[in-house]
Amino acid sequence: MKKHKILCLLLSAVMLTGILTGCGAKTASASTSNQSTSSTGTLEKVLKSKKLIVGSLLDNAPFGSKDKQGNPIGYDVDVIKMLAKSLGVDYQIVGLTIPERITALETGKVDVVVGNFTATLERAQKVDFTDPYDAGSPGILILKDSTIAHAKDLAGKKVGTTKGSTDQISCNNLIKAGVKMNLTLFDTESDMETALENKQVDAIVMDGPYCDYYARMNPSKFKTAGQPSEMEMPAWYNSLGVRKGDQEWLNYLNQFVFKINTDGENKASHKKWFGKDLGIPLNPKF
């Protein structure tokens, strides 16, 4: 009787081991299956569809705007064309506002953002950035007859800047430093420029190259004030923005940025739109 019980117990153990082993095999198979059905990356999607969808700011000359026929033009538009050419695909530009850039990437509305997109730690928590292709610092644009000469002169003045921009950070930093301006936030640069022309604000704080460009294009209306060192903001670096975790696409875009930075294409386009070479090194020494 005892031998019979022992035999039964041994058989039960063998059967249980087989069942558990079978379950383990099924679990491993299911895991392998899930990995093999992972979503297609953006690079593969763009190459297969032969179409690149890019978000950009088209109300932000000379980075991006529209000509009289409604066609996108500008420095960032040139970079978009270079990118599409490198991929051998067509491109579509989706006009965005500054606050819409991150959302457009998160929702998959665009494949990449090329739109005066400054890489910051706060933004890097939500999207990934390439190496920089452009650099600059905040500036001050004022009317020709304005007496504002330095950043400190913005105290007590009505100042405009764009919502969600690094220039807003500069203004907030100036306020913290004691330059108590009355800040108004705008959705677009054209709204801000119109407010300055109509004297609804005394000055606007925007990217230095933007300020230089408008003062150069409209010398009878505008001039610039202050120096980059006065703006309570270190140099900013513009990058291409992509959806978080899309590493293969990010790798390709970094190679693209390296190419245009080293073969002269980027330098030539920057000089065409801004009238001068990039004044801040893209690879600073610390």
Side-chain angles (χ1 to χ4, degrees), residues 59 141 143 186 188-202 204 210 214 221-222:
D59 195 18
L141 187 67
L143 293 175
F186 294 87
T188 68
E189 284 74 16
S190 63
D191 289 343
M192 190 166 59
E193 180 196 342
T194 300
L196 178 61
E197 282 194 78
N198 295 335
K199 300 185 177 182
Q200 295 171 319
V201 295
D202 301 304
I204 58 177
Y210 169 93
Y214 268 90
K221 289 183 181 180
F222 304 123

Side-chain angles (χ1 to χ4, degrees), residues 84-230:
K85 182 180 178 182
S86 78
L87 291 159
V89 301
D90 294 326
Y91 66 90
Q92 175 188 345
I93 298 178
V94 177
L96 302 173
T97 62
I98 286 175
E100 291 174 337
R101 292 176 297 189
I102 290 177
T103 304
L105 287 171
E106 290 177 328
T107 59
K109 182 177 181 180
V110 299
D111 301 319
V112 60
V113 167
V114 186
N116 197 11
F117 206 2
T118 303
T120 66
L121 291 177
E122 182 181 4
R123 290 171 178 170
Q125 296 174 29
K126 299 178 180 178
V127 299
D128 286 335
F129 289 104
T130 65
D131 296 331
Y133 69 97
D134 181 43
S137 58
I140 302 170
L141 187 67
I142 52 177
L143 293 175
K144 190 70 176 179
D145 59 357
S146 175
T147 59
I148 295 171
H150 300 283
K152 65 181 181 179
D153 298 331
L154 297 176
K157 304 293 186 182
K158 295 178 182 178
V159 179
T161 196
T162 43
K163 186 190 306 178
S165 66
T166 47
D167 303 297
Q168 183 184 349
I169 296 173
S170 176
C171 290
N172 290 336
N173 289 344
L174 284 167
I175 292 170
K176 290 176 184 176
V179 183
K180 303 299 182 182
M181 66 187 77
N182 299 313
L183 192 60
T184 300
L185 301 179
F186 294 87
D187 286 327
T188 68
E189 284 74 16
S190 63
D191 289 343
M192 190 166 59
E193 180 196 342
T194 300
L196 178 61
E197 282 194 78
N198 295 335
K199 300 185 177 182
Q200 295 171 319
V201 295
D202 301 304
I204 58 177
V205 173
M206 189 53 195
D207 298 346
Y210 169 93
C211 296
D212 292 339
Y213 173 79
Y214 268 90
R216 183 163 58 90
M217 298 300 291
N218 303 280
S220 62
K221 289 183 181 180
F222 304 123
K223 64 181 180 180
T224 61
Q227 297 294 326
S229 59
E230 302 174 3

Side-chain angles (χ1 to χ4, degrees), residues 37-48 243 246 248:
T37 57
S38 59
S39 58
T40 301
T42 303
L43 177 59
E44 185 179 350
K45 178 183 79 71
V46 170
L47 293 174
K48 282 186 175 180
R243 188 166 56 253
D246 201 346
E248 187 179 33

